[in-house]
């Protein structure tokens, strides 16, 4: 399904990737691009269109990311915002969701002990009898 986008779709993406669609309504965008308003909404359902729209939004905002990241710590401290503090720590690699589990397994399994345990469980009287 990796079909190419049309020039009209790229034009729509250029507008739609801007904050508030570059100050245009969907009706105005449709007129500028030369399509019906409903076509814009149909395009938004297209995964190829949506992926390119997201990529364009990232490209448009990359220059602001350093200031955004820097502001996270300020917001966290000023407002006592735990979510911002967590995000600032995660971005800087100081906090992860990674969970490490340490095992004391020696790497060998006592098969005979397991067989004996299973046998003992089989000999136990059942609660349903």
């Amino acid at each position: 399904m990796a079909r190419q986008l049309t020039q009209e779709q790229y034009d729509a993406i250029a507008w739609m990737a801007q904050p508030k669609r570059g100050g245009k309504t969907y009706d105005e965008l449709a007129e500028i691009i030369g399509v019906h308003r409903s076509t814009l909404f149909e395009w938004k359902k297209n995964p190829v269109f949506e992926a390119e729209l997201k990529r364009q939004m990232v490209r448009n905002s990359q220059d602001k990311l350093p200031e955004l990241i820097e502001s996270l710590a300020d917001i966290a401290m000023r407002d006592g915002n735990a979510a911002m503090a967590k995000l600032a720590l995660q971005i800087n690699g100081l906090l992860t969701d990674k969970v490490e589990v340490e095992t004391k397994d020696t790497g060998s399994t006592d098969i005979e002990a397991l067989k004996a345990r299973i046998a003992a469980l089989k000999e136990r009287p059942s609660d349903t009898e």
Side-chain angles (χ1 to χ4, degrees), residues 86-101:
K86 180 181 178 184
L87 184 56
L89 292 170
Q90 285 174 327
I91 287 172
N92 288 289
L94 299 172
L95 180 66
T96 66
D97 291 330
K98 180 178 169 184
V99 176
E100 293 187 25
V101 178

Side-chain angles (χ1 to χ4, degrees), residues 47-65:
V48 176
F49 181 91
E50 189 65 21
E52 182 58 30
L53 176 59
K54 288 177 183 176
R55 282 191 293 272
Q56 186 59 50
M57 286 189 279
V58 169
R59 287 189 293 266
N60 289 353
S61 62
Q62 280 178 328
D63 291 341
K64 296 178 183 177
L65 287 177

Side-chain angles (χ1 to χ4, degrees), residues 4-56:
Q4 290 283 55
L5 297 175
T6 65
Q7 184 58 52
E8 289 84 6
Q9 288 173 314
Y10 281 112
D11 292 344
I13 286 168
W15 282 100
M16 294 168 77
Q18 296 178 45
K20 299 181 183 178
R21 295 175 306 279
K24 304 292 183 194
T25 66
Y26 281 105
D27 288 327
E28 291 169 329
L29 287 183
E31 187 176 333
I32 291 168
I33 296 164
V35 297
H36 192 273
R37 180 181 193 271
S38 64
T39 302
L40 296 174
F41 292 99
E42 286 302 314
W43 287 347
K44 286 178 69 174
K45 296 176 189 176
N46 176 338
V48 176
F49 181 91
E50 189 65 21
E52 182 58 30
L53 176 59
K54 288 177 183 176
R55 282 191 293 272
Q56 186 59 50

Side-chain angles (χ1 to χ4, degrees), residues 98-107:
K98 180 178 169 184
V99 176
E100 293 187 25
V101 178
E102 184 178 318
T103 179
K104 299 197 189 247
D105 184 16
T106 61

